[in-house]
Amino acid sequence: MSIIEIKNLTKSFLQGNNKINILNELNLVVPLASKIGIVGQSGSGKSTFLSLMSGLDKPDHGQILVNNNDITKMSEEALTEFRAKNLSIVFQQYHLVAHLTALENVMLPLEILDHNLSKKSIKDKAIELLNEVGLEKRLSHFPSQLSGGESQRVAIARALITTPKVILADEPSGNLDLETGTRVMNLFMTIIDKYQITTLLVTHNPELASLCQSVYKLNHGKFEKIK
Amino acid sequence: MIAHALKELVRKWRWTLVFVFNLSFGFIGFISLLSFQNSIENKILLDSKKILTADLSISARKKIATTEIDKTKKIIRDLGIKIESESYLTEFMAMLKTSEKAQMVSVKAIDANYPLYGDLELLWENKNYSDIKSSFKNNETIVYSELKEILNLQKEQSLMLGKLNLSLRDIVVKDSTQTFKFGGIAPKIFIHQEALKNSELLKFGSTFNESYLFKLKEPYPRETLLKKLEQSIPDATIKIETAESAANDSARQLGFLTDFLKLIAIISILLSSLGANFLYQVFIFKKIKDYAIFKALGLNKQKLRAQYLVQMITLSLVVTAISALGSYLFIPLIQFFLNKTLSIIFEISIPNLVIVLSFFIIFITCFLVTIPFLFSLETITTAKLFNEEKLNLNISIRSRVPQILSVFLVGLLSLYLTKSVNLTLIFISSVLSIAIFSVVIGWSGIKVLSLFNPRFWVIKYSLKSIIRKKGTSIIVFSCIAISTMLMNILPLVRTSLQEEFNYNKNEQIPSLFLIDVQEEQVNAINELLQLQNLKIDNLSPLIRARISKINDIPFEKKLLKNSFTTREEETEARFRNRGINLTYRHEFSNTETLLEGIPFTNYKDETPGLSLEYKYAERIGVKLNDLMTFDIQGVEIKGKVINLRKVRWISFQPNFFIAFDEGVLNQAPKSFIGTINNLSEEKTKKVISSLAENFSNISIIDVRALSKDILNMADQMSLSIQIMALLALITGLIILSSIIYIQLNERTWELNFLKIIGAKFNSVYLYILVEFAFLTFLAALFGSLLSYVFSFILVKYLFETTFVISFKEPLFIIFGIALISIVICLIITRRILQNSANKILKEF
């Protein structure tokens, strides 16, 4: 059973007077609870692909069906709501809200989501996730007081709190040193396996991609299955 | 280096533009006002001889002894100065009558030589007075143009002035002695000195002014002449004026108009400096990484400083140029309205000095704004600077010193502009206290907010944003509060000043005010009035006197020796240098309130009791229980100050600065002043006519007509004030908008991120509205409350009048500010939400 279906996805940019097709008639089917790695050289269109997947950008044409909903047809507002319920993003630059503590950063997406959860249960869930990423002692620390690895772990916990159907991860270890990156990614994969969340991992690191069930290489705007 | 510094300003053109316009708006008012003041002072100085109509004038509100005039002439001659011509002038108030109407006028009895300088422009003959001087007959008069309308005057119409029958020769349309179009409480008429005697108006005890005017051959030592004359004529009641001192007096009369305008100019500068400070803070935070790169590349401190210096000079030059350009557009507007008020025609030009001065003030403003941030950057290691996110730019107290100094610089500027120590002290203490108070209130407010823990995430995180970004929140709060306060002060002060002219309907304002009523005329006047069921009310004796001693120490003429004298020193000197009117009464009138001491009714001592108006006592430095000696027609009378009282001058009742208890002055030579109340407009005219017909020496003021004139005058002046106030308001609003705009732009990432993680658009709008509208509204409310406090202080202690609470303008400003902040919040948030989330993410 698939959760994501990509049909003829095309995206181009203008470079001077030249039109460059960064993604060219892409097709992909992502099964539920699978982990897909997308690799490619710098400028191959990995991040553009992820932006389109998350609805942060619009394609020239083509369809992205997430849970049978075509997100390319959605308005900004509808997309926002859809994202809240179905998608989470883990960014390379962590993107934590500077004036919120680690705990508050994790709680935020669930608080934003319409739900009937009590404040206490949201907090408990956030603490549980932060425990899981090994930050139980850093709950009340602000992003400026956390290291890169810790910040990314907070971002991972934040991505998980809404129990999304899909996690989109954009070079999550890109800003970390090799050792920390590996540790964080192992943790990330373990948690994803535990929660059975479909994951699209974009990376330039083939070793990291190899942790996924399937790996696609983005080359000249087309997918090339390498695993 | 210079190229890089300039390139940065060009590349960050949006910021540069906001910064430049922000400061320029503040300085347009400053340059315009300074140019206006400079132009009018120059014009008055240029016309100084015409204003005095002489080089030197010796005048007094009494007959000047011939010995004093001989002494004057001797001093002039001893200094080797040639007297080219002399003139003798008598001025007094009297009633001018036609067969139907009468009007109080200021009579100028002139001799054949008048005026020694300047001229009078005449209407019907279309000539100057000097052209018709030789044919101006003893029985002829020329009168100010206001009288033409009041009395429906025709050429050669017969007019009565006391017993003198005059024929109207012409109408004066322009008098070189006048700087204001408003001619005072009585329009002037000119008659021959020889005809004066026939009027039989000047009797013993009448109030009049006598002047001896001299035209001196240039060049002559002005300062030495004035000094010698003041030394040898110590009598405080004799006024010695040179053309220059008369011009300065004349320029000072404009003080009440320009004071308020200057206050607005300083407020505009302060507002824009506040905005500039805020804008610069944003600018510097954005270039921290650039600074770190330059530092890492090996650029030393001096070169980095030079880069900032180049930027400051460039910005100052651009701001000065735009402000000057703006002033060229703004000045004609001020001129248009002021020309309705002022009689002298003058062109306002922007002197180079004003441009240079403005450049320096703008540069100092930029410098003071930049220095604290620059100093702080210099203390931080390059590595830390690279890590912007973790950087906490703490501005140390030492770095803040230039900003603290700036308060004193503003003080100096205020003192230079207003020449008032009181105004400067009020202004500086207000600015300092409000800054401290705003920070304290902002800080306490944040403490209070942190006690709340709302359930709804929008409110929860809005409050958290305010609390966690404590520094920014306090700065935004203080900036908005101070801006609101400054914006509010102007309308509040204006309302109180305007209210001063608006009578309380329940209060009995007299219809007519009678001056120079002789003792023997009182019964006869009352008999005449009784026929019309009227009577004289508030009849009060008036005795001309001179203060000769205070606590047995001679009360001498105060000479101002320094070229820079403050307003307070000038006021004191003026009060000291003039004769005074005394009265006597045993009980206070209903317009007087006892402030200190005991009433006459409780006073039993042998030394006669004295009651002084409290502000007058302050000015001449007299306290309770002081002894004052008065010279009344050569007789010395001593009194003891037993109380200080407050007088409601605007009641138009006969009121005096100094009142004796009944007894000691009862036999002194005196005249009376009194009022007639409850007259309709038509009856007023009839009563004036009949009184003028039967008692030609009495001067009668039509209070209703006078107050109408004053109000008209005030209206015209308030127009120019309103325009300036509008400029300050616009400056304030621009600064507010920039603060909110920049703050919101700083939050682009955060709002975009909320959108990415799925926050509904309405929630994002609400999130930002709660934070900003709440902060702005609270700050505006707090600023408004403070504006009441400071307006009260200004109105009570500077303008010395009653503070009137007005809610209209402050409410309008509070809601206006809140509305502006809401609109800006909605527009910017909408722009962020509609923008591509990916694009915004890439920008950060």
Side-chain angles (χ1 to χ4, degrees), chain B residues 70-319:
Chain B
D70 292 341
K71 216 191 289 177
T72 305
K73 288 181 184 171
K74 189 175 178 303
I75 291 167
I76 295 172
R77 285 191 197 106
D78 287 350
L79 284 169
I81 305 166
K82 192 184 166 204
I83 299 172
E84 287 193 335
S85 54
E86 293 173 44
S87 177
Y88 172 65
L89 180 69
T90 314
E91 291 165 274
F92 58 96
M93 297 289 186
M95 297 303 288
L96 182 71
K97 288 170 281 178
T98 64
S99 52
E100 289 157 4
K101 289 179 178 174
Q103 166 68 32
M104 190 169 81
V105 291
S106 165
V107 182
K108 270 191 156 186
I110 54 178
D111 65 6
N113 288 337
Y114 183 89
L116 301 178
Y117 290 103
D119 219 328
L120 305 166
E121 261 178 54
L122 303 175
L123 177 71
W124 292 323
E125 290 171 75
N126 200 17
K127 286 178 179 169
N128 284 340
Y129 168 71
S130 51
D131 302 327
I132 65 150
K133 202 193 268 188
S134 53
S135 63
F136 186 54
K137 297 181 194 125
N138 277 5
N139 66 338
E140 284 180 333
T141 182
I142 50 174
V143 304
Y144 265 28
S145 56
E146 290 99 312
L147 284 169
K148 184 170 173 265
E149 281 180 29
I150 298 169
L151 298 173
N152 293 327
L153 298 179
Q154 308 294 324
K155 195 167 166 59
E156 289 171 18
Q157 184 169 344
S158 176
L159 299 164
M160 287 300 290
L161 185 76
K163 297 272 160 59
L164 184 65
N165 193 350
L166 293 163
S167 165
L168 178 62
R169 170 81 184 253
D170 215 321
I171 300 292
V172 177
V173 284
K174 195 163 182 288
D175 180 354
S176 60
T177 62
Q178 287 289 108
T179 44
F180 275 105
K181 281 194 176 157
F182 178 61
I185 57 169
K188 283 179 189 155
I189 75 161
F190 296 82
I191 61 164
H192 258 289
Q193 188 65 243
E194 285 82 19
L196 178 60
K197 210 175 170 186
N198 299 335
S199 73
E200 293 180 28
L201 285 170
L202 294 188
K203 293 176 180 168
F204 182 75
S206 298
T207 311
F208 65 96
N209 194 78
E210 197 177 66
S211 306
Y212 287 86
L213 305 168
F214 299 93
K215 183 178 183 178
L216 307 174
K217 189 169 167 55
E218 294 274 12
Y220 61 90
R222 288 170 160 74
E223 302 261 315
T224 323
L225 175 65
L226 190 62
K227 211 169 155 188
K228 289 235 169 190
L229 286 171
E230 279 174 342
Q231 277 166 357
S232 41
I233 308 174
D235 183 350
T237 57
I238 296 179
K239 194 174 178 184
I240 304 160
E241 279 182 295
T242 60
E244 290 74 22
S245 63
N248 288 335
D249 255 14
S250 204
R252 201 191 45 240
Q253 282 172 19
L254 292 166
F256 71 96
L257 171 69
T258 50
D259 263 5
F260 200 73
L261 296 180
K262 284 171 194 162
L263 194 69
I264 300 170
I266 301 174
I267 286 175
S268 300
I269 292 180
L270 263 182
L271 273 172
S272 49
S273 308
L274 202 69
N277 192 47
F278 190 84
L279 288 170
Y280 203 84
Q281 191 181 329
V282 173
F283 180 65
I284 203 103
F285 272 106
K286 282 201 167 166
K287 56 188 278 178
I288 285 175
K289 198 167 253 174
D290 296 352
Y291 188 91
I293 293 168
F294 281 125
K295 238 176 149 180
L297 289 174
L299 211 62
N300 63 26
K301 207 185 268 183
Q302 281 69 31
K303 282 189 177 163
L304 278 166
R305 281 181 186 178
Q307 196 181 331
Y308 283 86
L309 195 69
V310 168
Q311 289 186 344
M312 278 187 266
I313 294 172
T314 311
L315 286 172
S316 307
L317 281 171
V318 177
V319 172

Side-chain angles (χ1 to χ4, degrees), chain B residues 3-14 16:
Chain B
H4 175 80
L6 297 180
K7 214 180 278 172
E8 187 178 17
L9 291 180
V10 174
R11 298 264 160 85
K12 291 179 180 164
W13 62 271
R14 265 201 200 116
T16 309

Side-chain angles (χ1 to χ4, degrees), chain A residues 13 48 51 56-57 76-77 80-81 83-84 89 91 94-101 104 107-109 111-112 114 117-119 142-147 158, chain B residues 389-390 453-455 457 460-461 464-466 468-469 747 749-750 753-763 767 833-839 841-842 844:
Chain A
F13 293 113
T48 306
S51 296
L56 299 180
D57 208 350
E76 277 286 318
E77 196 154 6
T80 302
E81 208 177 329
R83 256 195 312 264
I89 311 167
F91 299 94
Y94 332 131
H95 287 320
L96 298 179
V97 182
H99 67 268
L100 300 183
T101 61
E104 286 162 351
M107 285 167 71
L108 185 65
E111 287 181 295
I112 285 173
D114 272 340
L117 291 172
S118 69
K119 198 175 164 184
F142 289 99
S144 62
Q145 298 164 319
L146 299 172
S147 68
R158 182 180 62 188
Chain B
E389 274 179 29
K390 297 189 177 179
N453 195 7
R455 202 184 128 72
W457 76 269
K460 176 181 154 185
Y461 288 111
K464 278 200 191 302
S465 174
I466 296 175
R468 300 269 167 82
K469 293 175 193 163
R747 306 284 291 277
W749 177 84
E750 191 183 329
F753 186 73
L754 284 175
K755 183 175 106 174
I756 290 170
I757 60 171
K760 284 183 179 170
F761 281 19
N762 286 344
S763 302
Y767 171 71
L833 292 178
Q834 295 301 327
N835 216 333
S836 154
N838 200 33
K839 199 175 150 199
L841 268 186
K842 278 180 184 166
F844 285 86

